[in-house]
Amino acid sequence: MKRRDFLNLGAGFAALAALGDPGRARAANPLADRVKGARASCLVDLTLCIGCRQCEEACNRANHLPRPARSFRDPTVLRDHRRMDHAAFTVVNAYAGPPSAVQTNHPETFAKIQCMHCIDPACVSACIVGAFTVAEDGPVIYDASRCLGCRYCMVACPFGVPAYEYHKVLAPRVRKCEFCRGREGYAGARPACAEACPVEAILFGDRRALIELARKRIRRRPDRYLDHIYGEHEVGGTSWLYLSGRPWTELGFQALPQEAPPRLTESIQHGIFRYAAIPTAVYAGLAGLMWWTGRRNRKQPPKVEAPSCPDPGGK
Ligand code: SF4
Ligand code: SF4
Ligand code: SF4
């Protein structure tokens, strides 16, 4: 069987499973409720970021990623408006114009991006073999040993984060920030990027505490900050949160709905189930009838016809 046929077959089984039991998709993804205690999160204050790229370099080292062709000391790459890829789990981009109305001496605003570690992640919901999961304290992690390479997670992610090792012939993986889960010596500590930031533009802590802190900053400096914490509600909430003094869409952040994508896909699945249940039952009945008829025919002994050729010995 070809790999593509296998993947299509797998997707077909998954679709049938969802049709057969609409509650199963929901039960397989109770992620919003999974983290009971503190949720590991980061708050990035874009009005503080100086575009030094030390977070990028620290991430590169911590995850043993290949060194980039252009040095981390090269500030010109900031204007390329890069995206994450298999060799860079976080990137910093520069946008012309000051970070807020009161920082008029800053010609540019810098924005660090990475996986947002959604509370109800579309990548987890899309993965039919459970290669993406949510850790006890929130980070969305990946298990390459389970991955089929179908790349449905890449299509599902509303932030376009997961990248694929297209250059690898053998065992290519999906790659993205895992909140430094696999990092040596990791013990619920600050991720490498937050540790490296020289101006504390990235703060690590419990999500609720960080939201409180962000609100306090907005209240104290309404001239500096927008009254909007990006990630507090977008796509059901994310573990990476942002503060800015400029409209989000000017800095490469999309305006996204509050509803998590998995909730939307589930309602579609449920709708399909409701309207497809009768035709599915009819098809299943017909298939059963065909199987039963075929079985009965196979059971009947074949008729042996008398030889029509004359007996060579008879006269
Ligand atoms: S940003 Fe994308 S890859 Fe990261 S957790 Fe959310 S859906 Fe998954
Ligand atoms: S949390 Fe770790 S893996 Fe994620 S961007 Fe920061 S350094 Fe990279
Ligand atoms: S290390 Fe901090 S200041 Fe430097 S680019 Fe990253 S987030 Fe900005």
Side-chain angles (χ1 to χ4, degrees), residues 2-24:
K2 284 184 190 154
R3 178 184 167 91
R4 194 178 51 191
D5 297 338
F6 175 70
L7 295 177
N8 288 341
L9 193 64
F13 279 137
L16 278 176
L19 279 174
D21 180 4
R24 200 178 140 203

Side-chain angles (χ1 to χ4, degrees), residues 180-196:
C180 283
R181 277 299 123 145
R183 184 157 76 106
E184 264 168 50
Y186 180 88
R190 275 193 300 175
C193 54
E195 220 166 66

Side-chain angles (χ1 to χ4, degrees), residues 55 58-59 63 89-90 112 114 177-180 191-193 240:
C55 50
C59 180
N63 292 287
F89 296 167
T90 185
K112 171 200 189 298
Q114 70 297 300
C177 155
E178 295 188 62
F179 230 130
C180 283
C193 54
W240 278 74

Side-chain angles (χ1 to χ4, degrees), residues 39-114:
R39 176 181 284 276
S41 295
C42 279
L43 172 67
V44 186
D45 188 334
L46 298 184
T47 73
L48 295 177
C49 180
I50 54 173
C52 66
R53 300 185 63 208
Q54 289 189 42
C55 50
E56 279 189 48
E57 187 168 12
C59 180
N60 174 284
R61 284 223 179 92
N63 292 287
H64 309 288
L65 298 172
R67 298 298 283 180
R70 284 153 81 189
S71 146
F72 286 112
R73 305 282 166 271
D74 179 358
T76 61
V77 294
L78 293 165
R79 283 163 216 132
D80 289 350
H81 294 177
R82 297 158 300 151
R83 298 290 310 165
M84 287 71 73
D85 61 29
H86 69 276
F89 296 167
T90 185
V91 293
V92 182
N93 290 319
Y95 298 87
S100 69
V102 292
Q103 293 169 291
T104 46
N105 55 341
H106 294 59
E108 288 175 313
T109 308
F110 304 103
K112 171 200 189 298
I113 49 172
Q114 70 297 300

Side-chain angles (χ1 to χ4, degrees), residues 91-175:
V91 293
V92 182
N93 290 319
Y95 298 87
S100 69
V102 292
Q103 293 169 291
T104 46
N105 55 341
H106 294 59
E108 288 175 313
T109 308
F110 304 103
K112 171 200 189 298
I113 49 172
Q114 70 297 300
C115 168
M116 295 291 282
H117 294 278
C118 305
I119 289 174
D120 195 351
C123 57
V124 175
S125 179
C127 183
I128 58 176
V129 291
F132 272 105
T133 50
V134 177
E136 293 295 315
D137 56 343
V140 178
I141 51 177
Y142 171 72
D143 179 351
S145 69
R146 287 172 166 246
C147 183
L148 286 176
C150 66
R151 282 157 278 155
Y152 289 161
C153 52
M154 295 170 68
V155 179
C157 173
F159 298 99
V161 168
Y164 196 62
E165 292 178 323
Y166 287 105
H167 62 290
K168 279 199 181 168
V169 180
L170 292 176
R173 294 167 296 176
V174 173
R175 307 301 322 263

